[in-house]
Amino acid sequence: TGRFWEGRFKSQALLDEAALAACLAYVDLNPVRAKMAETPEESDHTSIKKRIETAKAGKQPKSLMRFAGNPRKHMPKGLPFEFKYYLELVDLTGRCIREDKRGFITDAQPILTRLNIQPDN
């Protein structure tokens, strides 16, 4: 509480899968947009970097909610989309050049090609 916190930070409910994916991508792209990292996989202290490192070993990080796949009737606990599609969302969003941001992804290769993660992983 207090003037500083109440005036600066707001809470926003994420009501659907699209809002959840947009919020995750926004947070994971912050170091790229601030020009502190060239690509998401090089950005320190982000969930995407941790997910990529564990995906190369064929696992999902235990400290983060797992990707459960496409939404369905009997949905297991987890994020309602596939990791592959999330990586593509972050990569394509990060390539957009914005006037109000300093950085963007300049690497010519798509993220899935750059990472060379086995499809089974």
Side-chain angles (χ1 to χ4, degrees):
T1 62
R3 183 177 174 164
F4 174 77
W5 294 107
E6 291 174 2
R8 185 164 181 193
F9 300 104
K10 303 288 183 214
S11 176
Q12 177 67 46
L14 303 175
L15 301 176
D16 59 9
E17 289 86 8
L20 177 62
C23 182
L24 285 169
Y26 175 83
V27 171
D28 281 336
L29 282 170
N30 270 339
V32 173
R33 293 291 186 201
K35 217 169 188 169
M36 295 170 61
E38 294 290 319
T39 60
E41 61 268 23
E42 295 172 356
S43 58
D44 293 328
H45 314 295
T46 59
S47 65
I48 196 163
K49 181 176 182 174
K50 189 171 200 168
R51 289 182 193 281
I52 289 168
E53 289 171 352
T54 56
K56 288 182 177 181
K59 299 178 181 177
Q60 291 201 41
K62 294 185 189 313
S63 60
L64 299 172
M65 185 166 282
R66 66 187 306 269
F67 283 92
N70 295 325
R72 51 193 172 276
K73 188 173 183 178
H74 299 289
M75 185 72 186
K77 186 176 180 183
L79 300 171
F81 30 87
E82 293 181 27
F83 184 48
K84 170 187 167 183
Y85 297 126
Y86 176 68
L87 286 174
E88 290 175 341
L89 171 71
V90 170
D91 191 51
L92 292 173
T93 305
R95 290 177 185 281
C96 296
I97 300 171
R98 294 185 43 177
E99 296 286 328
D100 59 336
K101 303 293 179 187
R102 295 187 312 166
F104 57 93
I105 298 172
T106 57
D107 197 309
Q109 292 183 325
I111 193 165
L112 294 174
T113 306
R114 272 193 326 263
L115 297 176
N116 195 24
I117 297 175
Q118 297 299 318
D120 294 340
N121 293 354

